[in-house]
Amino acid sequence: MDLGVFIQILVWGIYAGCIYILLAIGLNLIFGVMKVVNFAHGELLMLGAYATFWIYTFSGLNPYLVIPLAMIILAIVGVFIERLCFRPIMGTGKLNEIFLSLGLIYLFQNLAAVFWTTDSRSIHSPYSDVSITLGSINLPVDYIIIIVITAICLIALQLFMKKATLGRAMRATSQNREAATLMGINVERMDMLSFALGAAFAATAGSLCLITGQMVNPYVGSIPAIEAFAVVIIGGLGSIPGAIIAGLTLGIAENIVPLFMQYSVGLLGLEMSFSAWKDTIAFIILIIVLVIRPTGIFGEKEE
Amino acid sequence: MKLNRLNIKTGIDIVTLILAFLLPLILEVNQYLLTVLILMLVFTMYSSAWNLLATSGQGSLGHAAFFGIGGYVSAIISNSFGLPVIVTIVIGGFFAAVIGVLIGLTCVRLKAWFLAMVTFGFAIIVQTVTVELSGLTGGWDGIPAKKLVPVTITNHVMYEYYIILLIAVVVIVIIYLIMKSKMGLALEAIRENELEAKVMGINVTVYKLKAFAASAFFTGIAGALEIHHFGYVTPEVYGIDISFWPIIYSVSGGLYTIGGPILGTVVITAIWEVLRSFGMTYGRFILIGLILILIVIFLPKGLISIPEKIRSIFLKN
Amino acid sequence: MKYGILIAVLAVSLLVAGCVEQPKETQQGVEEIRIGVVAPLTGGASTTGTDMWQAAVLAADEINAQGGVLVNGTYLKVKLFKGDTETSREGGVKVVTKLITNDEVDFLIGGFSSGITYADQVVAAEHKVPFIITGASSPIITRRDDIDTSYFFHHCPTTDDYPDSTLLFVDEIVKPLIDERYNFPENRTLRLGVIYQDSKYGEGVYDGIKKAIEEHNLNMEIVSAEKFKMSETDFRTPLTVMKAANPDVVYPAAFLNEQALIVSQGRRDVGLDTIYLSVECNDDTDYYTGVEKWGEYSIQESRFGPYVIPAGPISSAVVKFKADFENKWGAPPSMMGASTYEGVYIAAEAIKNLGGTLDKEEIRASLAELEIPQIIEVMQNGVITFSPDYRESKFDLYMEQLIWNETVGETRPKIVWPDSVKETDFVLPDWYKPGGP
C-alpha cells in the first residue's frame, strides 16, 4: 500500500476521532458526576448544529464565532434535561436511564422535524477552499481548526477541573458523592453543571460537523452518538483519558481496518469493499474489548 | 378471599380469550383490523420475550437481531426444504436461541449500559452479515417467504389471525410459567442484586444464558410469524425501530410483569392507530416519546399499576 | 383485576378504531374515483413522502376543478386517501391494507423505498388493486415472481435506467473530450469509479452500471467500487482509495446528503478532481446549497428538477405545474412529486377509457393499453405507456451540468444532453485530472 495514502487516511481518522472525543468527554463528565448515561446525547449534537445554523443564518457572523453561542444555548437545554428528566429518576435503576433516553430521542427528533422540517440544511465555512499541502498530503484548514478547537476544549476542561474551585468540587463529586455532600458541596448544582458542560461539548461537535460541510436534519445525531458510546465504553465509563485514547483509536481504526481488509481479500483474488463495515468494525472492537475487560480499558474495577 | 380473587382473575382471563377469538366475528371480517391485530399479537409475544430477558436485569437494545434471524431462517428453510411453515417457525426460533446464547455469553459479565451497547451492536453486525450472505439471503433484495395460510384460501387472513392468536397464547403461557417458576425467581434475584444472588447459591451465568436463550427463542418465533404474514423479508427487519418498539411497549405497560408488555402493546398500538385516522404524523412520535418519559418518571411500574395506585389513594382516604 | 383493564382497553380501543376507520359509505354506484397515496409522511424519508402527497393533492384538485373525470357523460370526482407508511414495513403493510379494505380505493399511487414496497405490495397483489409506483426505484417490484405483479405499473425510472442514460452520455460526450485533450488513443478504455450506498438503491445502481456497460458494449471498466453505509458522513477514506485507482469519472449512487459530501470531500479534501456523476434524486434545491461550489461542472442526471425547464412541447406545462405547486404549498415540488402528480392523471385517463365501470381487472387492462401524451416529464416518443413485459413507462432522462452562478452564490444546472432538450455544451473543466493510462 502507498505510504502517502496511508498517512492521508490517518489524518482523516484523527479528524473523525476529534468529533467522537467531544461527544465522549461530555458523556463521561455526566457519568462521572451523576453515574447516569444519556443515550440521547446525539440529539444534543443535532440541536447544537441547528443552533449554529439558525444563528449563522440570521446574523451572518463567522460560523466559528457562533459556536460559543450555540454552546451556551445547549448548556441551558442540558440543565433543563437534567432537572426535568434525569433528576427524578436518579437511583431508580440503570435501565430506567436507557428507557428515558429513548423517549428523549423520539421527542427531540420529531420536535425538530415539526419545527424545522426534515430538509437538509447546510452552511459555508469561510475557509472552505484554503488548504495546506505537505508533500502528497492535503490538509484543509477547516480540519486543522477542528483539531485545534478540540485540543482547546480538552485543555480548558483540564484546567477547569484542576484549578477552578467549581471544577475541583465537580471532581470531588465524581470521586465520592457522599463525602462531597458532607464537605458542603452542593452536589445537585454539580449535576446541573456536568449536564451543561456535556451538552455544550455536544453542541461544539455538532457545529463543527456542520461547518465542515455536513448537512443537518433531525436525524443526524444518531450515528455519531452510537460511535461516541462505543468510544466511551471502550475507554471506560467516566475516564477522560480513556475517551481521548479510545476516540482517536476508533477514528483511525474505522478508516484503516476496512482498507486493510480490502487489501487482504485482494490477496485472495477477491474484490470487496468494506467501507460500509465502519459501524460493524466499531462494534466488533467494542465486543472484543469488553470480553477481555468488562469495564473498558480505563474503566473502574467492578465492585 | 384469596380463592375468590383467583377465581375472578381466571374468569377474566377466559373472557379475554373468548373475546379475542370472537372479535373478528363481532366486527365483521375487516382485513385492516385483522392486520393491526395480527401485528399487535406478534409484538405482544415479542415484547413479552424482551421483558423476560429484562427481568434478569439485562436490557437489550438489539432484539431486532433475533426477530430478523427467526424470520430469515424460517423463510430460507421453508423455501428450500418445503417444510410446513409451522415447523420452520420453530426452527427459526431455535436458531435465534442459539445465536442468543452466543450473544449472551459475551454479555454475562456486562452491566446495564455495556450490555445495551453490545446488544445494539450485534443487531448491526447481524444485518451486515445477512446482507453479505446474499447467496442465501438475497442481499438487499430480500427473499419471498411463504404465507402462513396460502392466499388462495378465502378469509386466509382470519385463519392467520387465529393461528397467531393460538401461538401467542401458548407463548405467553410458557413465559408466564417460566416467570412463576424457580427460574423466574432466580432472574428477579439476579436483577435486584447479582452479588446477593450469587451468595444465595444461584448460578448467575447459567440463569442469564437461559434467559437469553428463552427470550431469543420467542422473539425468533414472533419474527418468523411476522415474516410469514408479510410474505417477504428484507434486511430492513433489523431496523433500530424494531429493537425499540418492544421496549416502548414493555415500559409503558409495566416492566417485569406478565400483563405489562401485553397491556402496553395493546394500548400503544390502539393510540397509534386512532391517531393515524386523525392524520397525525410526527405528533404520534412526539407523543410516544412523552409517554415513555412520563411513565419512567411518574409511573415506573407502568400502566398496569394504575389500579393499584388508585386503590392506595382510596385506602389512604 | 389488571386483566379487567386489559379487556376494557382492548375492546374500547378496537371499537374506537373500528368506528373511526369504517368508511362512511351509504350510497352504491360509481360517483368518485378513490385513490390511495402510499408515501412515507413520517420518519427518515418524510420530506419526499410529503412532496408526493402534496403533488397528488394538486393533481386531484386540478381534475376536480374541471368538474372531475368525464366518463360516459357524467363527471366523477377524484378522492384521495392519505397512506402514511411511517418509513417502516409494518406501517406500509398496515396502511396499504387499510386503504384497500377500509377506504376501498380503486388505485394505489406512490410507494417509496423498495424495502417497504416489497412488503406492502404483497397485500395489493392479493387484492388485485392496480398500483402505480411513482417512487420506489427497484426493477424487482414489477419483476418478482412469488406474487402476481400484473397489477403493478412502474411510473418512475428504475435503478437500471439511471446508469443506462448516464453512461451513454459519458460515452458519447465526456469520453471523446478527455481522449482529445490528453491525446489518448480512441480505443482507450474509460476508467470508472463507483461509490455506492449499502442498500437496495445503491446496489441496484451498481448492478445497473455493470448491465449498461455490457448491454451497450461500452468501452469502460470499473477500476474501483466502494460501498458505504446509509447516512454516512465521512467519505474521505474510500475516496482516497478511489483516487489511488485513478478513475476518469466517478459515479456515486447516493442520497442527497451523501452526494453533497462525496463531491465536496472528494474535491476539497482528497483532491479527486474529476467529473462526478449523480443519480436523479439529488436534483433538489437542498443539494445545490449543500454542495457549494465544489459541485461545479459535475453532472446531474434528471427528469424533473427545481432549476431547469426542458425545451420542447412540455415546457409550458412544467412552468405551470411549478407555479401552481409553489402557490399551493409554499415550496417548490421535487422529482418524486412530479411523477406522483402524473400518476393521478394516469389513473384518471385509465378510467376515462372504461365507460363507467371501476372493476379492478378492467382498470388493469386499461392501464396496460394506456397511451397518453407526456405531461410534465419527457417520455420516450413523447407518450406515457407501459411496456408489455414489465409494465414500466420509459422516461427520456437528460443530463445537466452544474455551472457556477455568481448572483445566487450557488451552482445552477444547465441541460447538456440529449440534443432534443440541450441548453448548452458540456464543458470539461481546466482543473480536471484524467485517470491513469
Side-chain angles (χ1 to χ4, degrees):
Chain A
M1 204 186 301
D2 187 11
L3 190 68
V5 172
F6 186 78
I7 294 172
Q8 180 80 71
I9 288 170
L10 219 58
V11 174
W12 305 143
I14 292 171
Y15 157 71
C18 284
I19 301 292
Y20 300 158
I21 289 172
L22 284 173
L23 279 176
I25 51 173
L27 280 168
N28 273 337
L29 275 176
I30 298 170
F31 180 81
V33 175
M34 295 180 72
K35 306 287 178 261
V36 302
V37 172
N38 173 22
F39 271 84
H41 209 63
E43 275 46 58
L44 298 176
L45 174 143
M46 178 267 292
L47 292 177
Y50 267 113
T52 301
F53 173 80
W54 289 115
I55 298 171
Y56 168 79
T57 310
F58 286 117
S59 70
L61 287 169
N62 183 325
Y64 285 109
L65 298 179
V66 175
I67 296 180
L69 291 174
M71 287 171 82
I72 292 168
I73 293 174
L74 260 288
I76 296 167
V77 174
V79 169
F80 270 98
I81 295 176
E82 195 276 323
R83 296 247 93 177
L84 294 177
C85 301
F86 283 93
R87 169 75 46 87
I89 62 152
M90 264 183 87
T92 62
K94 292 165 184 173
L95 289 180
N96 277 348
E97 298 153 24
I98 300 177
F99 305 146
L100 185 101
S101 310
L102 222 57
L104 285 174
I105 292 175
Y106 278 97
L107 191 67
F108 282 131
Q109 281 188 356
N110 293 288
L111 279 177
V114 168
F115 285 129
W116 305 314
T117 76
T118 46
D119 289 348
S120 296
R121 319 270 185 173
S122 54
I123 64 176
H124 302 239
S125 158
Y127 317 113
S128 72
D129 45 359
V130 192
S131 70
I132 297 167
T133 316
L134 291 169
S136 65
I137 297 151
N138 189 37
L139 279 179
V141 167
D142 278 325
Y143 298 131
I144 299 175
I145 299 178
I146 284 179
I147 295 170
V148 171
I149 288 181
T150 310
I152 291 173
C153 284
L154 290 175
I155 293 166
L157 180 69
Q158 189 66 15
L159 286 177
F160 173 73
M161 299 287 262
K162 285 262 153 71
K163 306 276 180 216
T165 324
L166 210 56
R168 298 224 298 258
M170 205 167 139
R171 215 147 47 97
T173 314
S174 16
Q175 276 157 5
N176 191 330
R177 204 178 167 89
E178 276 102 61
T181 319
L182 291 177
M183 304 234 321
I185 294 172
N186 185 343
V187 289
E188 297 206 341
R189 192 170 292 162
M190 293 305 123
D191 293 345
M192 276 155 62
L193 182 65
S194 71
F195 238 99
L197 281 175
F201 281 128
T204 316
S207 309
L208 291 177
C209 287
L210 181 70
I211 295 170
T212 47
Q214 284 184 27
M215 295 167 135
V216 53
N217 63 44
Y219 309 105
V220 288
S222 21
I223 288 186
I226 292 166
E227 308 279 346
F229 291 127
V231 165
V232 166
I233 284 175
I234 292 172
L237 267 176
S239 162
I240 304 277
I244 297 170
I245 291 171
L248 285 177
T249 312
L250 196 69
I252 293 169
E254 274 183 347
N255 285 286
I256 292 287
V257 174
L259 201 65
F260 182 71
M261 287 168 76
Q262 190 171 6
Y263 183 71
S264 313
V265 301
L267 293 178
L268 300 170
L270 288 170
E271 272 187 49
M272 266 176 94
S273 167
F274 290 93
S275 309
W277 282 50
K278 266 173 87 168
D279 296 352
T280 308
I281 288 166
F283 279 108
I284 291 174
I285 294 174
L286 173 88
I287 290 166
I288 292 173
V289 169
L290 286 185
V291 166
I292 299 168
R293 264 190 76 95
T295 50
I297 298 172
F298 292 86
E300 297 153 34
K301 276 260 158 40
E302 269 182 271
E303 68 267 34
Chain B
M1 178 68 192
K2 248 186 183 173
L3 203 72
N4 254 346
R5 196 178 260 179
L6 205 72
N7 278 344
I8 292 168
K9 206 172 140 284
T10 330
I12 289 170
D13 285 353
I14 292 166
V15 173
T16 316
L17 270 178
I18 294 173
L19 209 74
F21 272 94
L22 291 180
L23 252 177
L25 300 176
I26 298 169
L27 294 167
E28 299 169 33
V29 188
N30 178 318
Q31 200 182 331
Y32 164 58
L33 217 55
L34 281 177
T35 308
V36 172
L37 286 173
I38 286 175
L39 286 174
M40 198 189 267
L41 286 173
V42 166
F43 277 86
T44 306
M45 278 182 261
Y46 181 15
S47 309
S48 302
W50 181 89
N51 183 54
L52 177 62
L53 183 62
T55 306
S56 69
Q58 308 185 89
S60 156
L61 286 185
H63 248 49
F66 308 125
F67 195 76
I69 288 172
Y72 263 104
V73 169
S74 180
I76 291 169
I77 291 179
S78 67
N79 285 349
S80 40
F81 298 107
L83 288 173
V85 173
I86 289 294
V87 177
T88 60
I89 284 170
V90 179
I91 300 175
F94 271 116
F95 206 88
V98 172
I99 303 288
V101 171
L102 289 179
I103 296 177
L105 274 174
T106 59
C107 289
V108 271
R109 292 163 71 199
L110 302 181
K111 291 273 142 52
W113 313 284
F114 296 85
L115 185 127
M117 280 315 284
V118 167
T119 45
F120 187 90
F122 260 112
I124 292 179
I125 295 171
V126 169
Q127 185 183 43
T128 309
V129 172
T130 305
V131 172
E132 294 294 341
L133 291 175
S134 56
L136 206 58
T137 60
W140 281 107
D141 271 335
I143 44 168
K146 271 187 218 156
K147 281 282 208 174
L148 197 56
V149 177
V151 199
T152 42
I153 296 172
T154 35
N155 277 341
H156 66 99
V157 185
M158 196 166 81
Y159 293 116
E160 279 186 0
Y161 171 76
Y162 283 124
I163 293 175
I164 294 177
L165 178 64
L166 261 175
I167 297 175
V169 169
V170 173
V171 164
I172 285 164
V173 166
I174 296 174
I175 291 180
Y176 173 82
L177 292 176
I178 293 176
M179 299 225 336
K180 292 291 158 207
S181 73
K182 209 182 108 201
M183 178 172 161
L185 292 175
L187 295 183
E188 268 179 46
I190 294 169
R191 186 185 78 236
E192 292 300 333
N193 192 328
E194 205 174 315
L195 221 60
E196 270 175 29
K198 238 179 228 166
V199 174
M200 276 155 61
I202 295 171
N203 190 335
V204 174
T205 309
V206 168
Y207 276 113
K208 277 186 168 181
L209 285 182
K210 274 186 183 171
F212 244 107
S215 176
F217 177 72
F218 296 125
T219 304
I221 286 186
L225 285 173
E226 192 202 70
I227 293 312
H228 288 290
H229 169 63
F230 283 174
Y232 208 85
V233 55
T234 51
E236 275 86 359
V237 73
Y238 298 113
I240 295 175
D241 280 354
I242 303 289
S243 289
F244 285 0
W245 278 118
I247 307 177
I248 295 169
Y249 293 146
S250 304
V251 172
S252 46
L255 284 164
Y256 323 130
T257 60
I258 303 288
I262 305 173
L263 182 70
T265 313
V266 172
V267 172
I268 301 284
T269 314
I271 293 176
W272 194 257
E273 294 303 317
V274 169
L275 291 185
R276 178 210 293 282
S277 63
F278 297 146
M280 210 175 193
T281 55
Y282 294 110
R284 287 187 296 180
F285 285 100
I286 295 174
L287 206 70
I288 293 291
L290 273 178
I291 289 177
L292 205 55
I293 294 170
L294 292 177
I295 284 187
V296 171
I297 297 176
F298 296 108
L299 202 63
K301 286 180 181 167
L303 294 173
I304 207 154
S305 66
I306 288 178
E308 211 178 290
K309 278 225 155 167
I310 294 172
R311 205 179 308 144
S312 67
I313 290 168
F314 275 114
L315 282 182
K316 257 182 215 163
N317 293 346
Chain C
M1 202 39 219
K2 48 193 172 188
Y3 288 87
I5 329 155
L6 206 155
I7 314 168
V9 170
L10 190 85
V12 169
S13 62
L14 288 176
L15 283 171
V16 168
C19 296
V20 175
E21 299 291 345
Q22 287 310 324
K24 286 145 196 90
E25 236 189 344
T26 42
Q27 66 273 69
Q28 289 293 310
V30 179
E31 289 198 332
E32 56 191 12
I33 304 168
R34 305 164 78 89
I35 298 178
V37 181
V38 184
L41 302 174
T42 29
S46 56
T47 312
T48 310
T50 309
D51 198 74
M52 289 165 76
W53 167 250
Q54 291 175 338
V57 171
L58 179 64
D61 286 355
E62 282 173 11
I63 293 171
N64 291 340
Q66 291 170 1
V69 185
L70 183 60
V71 178
N72 258 5
T74 50
Y75 279 100
L76 301 182
K77 295 273 188 205
V78 174
K79 187 168 182 201
L80 295 185
F81 294 84
K82 215 184 224 181
D84 179 12
T85 65
E86 303 158 17
T87 327
S88 80
R89 297 166 314 123
E90 284 80 8
V93 170
K94 272 192 219 171
V95 86
V96 167
T97 317
K98 172 185 169 285
L99 289 172
I100 293 172
T101 57
N102 285 17
D103 302 327
E104 296 175 347
V105 296
D106 305 305
F107 285 94
L108 292 165
I109 291 179
F112 184 76
S113 171
S114 306
I116 297 167
T117 309
Y118 287 155
D120 65 34
Q121 75 174 142
V122 175
V123 184
E126 181 198 324
H127 291 268
K128 301 190 182 303
V129 178
F131 194 162
I132 304 171
I133 289 129
T134 59
S137 61
S138 165
I140 313 283
I141 290 169
T142 55
R143 283 176 168 80
R144 59 194 277 195
D145 52 13
D146 60 311
I147 53 167
D148 175 13
T149 55
S150 63
Y151 285 80
F152 298 99
F153 295 84
H154 215 148
H155 183 61
C156 60
T158 66
T159 48
D160 284 347
D161 298 331
Y162 318 139
D164 200 81
S165 304
T166 309
L167 292 185
L168 280 178
F169 158 76
V170 170
D171 187 60
E172 197 179 303
I173 308 288
V174 182
K175 188 175 183 300
L177 274 177
I178 296 174
D179 291 346
E180 190 192 313
R181 184 188 289 180
Y182 300 97
N183 291 322
F184 290 139
E186 209 171 294
N187 61 1
R188 174 183 178 270
T189 306
L190 185 98
R191 304 169 64 83
L192 190 65
V194 183
I195 176 163
Y196 62 100
Q197 192 188 64
D198 187 17
S199 68
K200 179 58 213 144
Y201 158 75
E203 230 156 48
V205 174
Y206 182 45
D207 287 341
I209 290 172
K210 288 190 276 193
K211 271 188 217 164
I213 293 177
E214 199 176 301
E215 202 171 297
H216 299 287
N217 202 11
L218 299 174
N219 190 10
M220 298 179 185
E221 65 167 329
I222 299 169
V223 291
S224 171
E226 292 286 331
K227 192 155 80 164
F228 61 85
K229 194 132 188 119
M230 198 190 278
S231 307
E232 180 58 80
T233 53
D234 186 349
F235 301 92
R236 297 172 185 94
T237 298
L239 287 169
T240 306
V241 175
M242 186 166 283
K243 189 187 175 196
N246 290 317
D248 292 320
V249 174
V250 170
Y251 198 156
F255 287 162
L256 194 154
N257 296 24
E258 301 152 359
Q259 176 84 19
L261 287 173
I262 289 172
V263 175
S264 60
Q265 291 176 4
R267 291 261 284 115
R268 177 185 60 179
D269 304 347
V270 179
L272 184 54
D273 293 329
T274 187
I275 298 294
Y276 291 86
L277 307 169
S278 173
V279 175
E280 57 184 36
C281 55
N282 301 318
D283 196 359
D284 186 287
T285 49
D286 287 345
Y287 177 66
Y288 295 96
T289 317
V291 76
E292 301 181 42
K293 59 174 174 287
W294 307 109
E296 206 180 5
Y297 297 115
S298 67
I299 292 295
Q300 175 69 56
E301 169 251 317
S302 184
R303 59 187 158 95
F304 181 90
Y307 300 123
V308 293
I309 288 149
I314 62 161
S315 52
S316 61
V318 175
V319 174
K320 183 175 178 304
F321 169 67
K322 283 186 177 177
D324 290 347
F325 190 98
E326 198 147 2
N327 271 340
K328 190 169 179 71
W329 302 109
S334 78
M335 179 172 292
M336 299 298 172
S339 46
T340 309
Y341 172 86
E342 291 176 333
V344 176
Y345 274 98
I346 292 172
E349 285 296 328
I351 296 286
K352 256 185 212 171
N353 304 334
L354 283 182
T357 170
L358 283 177
D359 178 66
K360 305 265 192 308
E361 167 56 26
E362 302 228 10
I363 292 177
R364 186 202 63 76
S366 169
L367 276 170
E369 285 160 21
L370 188 85
E371 195 172 315
I372 56 169
Q374 55 195 4
I375 304 171
I376 50 169
E377 293 173 289
V378 191
M379 307 299 296
Q380 281 177 19
N381 306 320
V383 291
I384 298 176
T385 183
F386 295 99
S387 61
D389 49 357
Y390 296 114
R391 296 161 306 282
E392 289 166 346
S393 59
K394 289 296 170 193
F395 288 75
D396 249 348
L397 303 176
Y398 47 80
M399 301 296 145
E400 306 160 351
Q401 186 167 33
L402 274 51
I403 305 295
W404 183 253
N405 183 325
E406 198 55 57
T407 44
V408 291
E410 283 177 19
T411 56
R412 285 291 176 263
K414 290 266 181 254
I415 301 180
V416 294
W417 187 87
D419 289 340
S420 52
V421 286
K422 183 167 115 175
E423 292 174 274
T424 175
D425 279 326
F426 168 78
V427 182
L428 192 63
D430 297 330
W431 47 254
Y432 174 78
K433 288 184 206 135

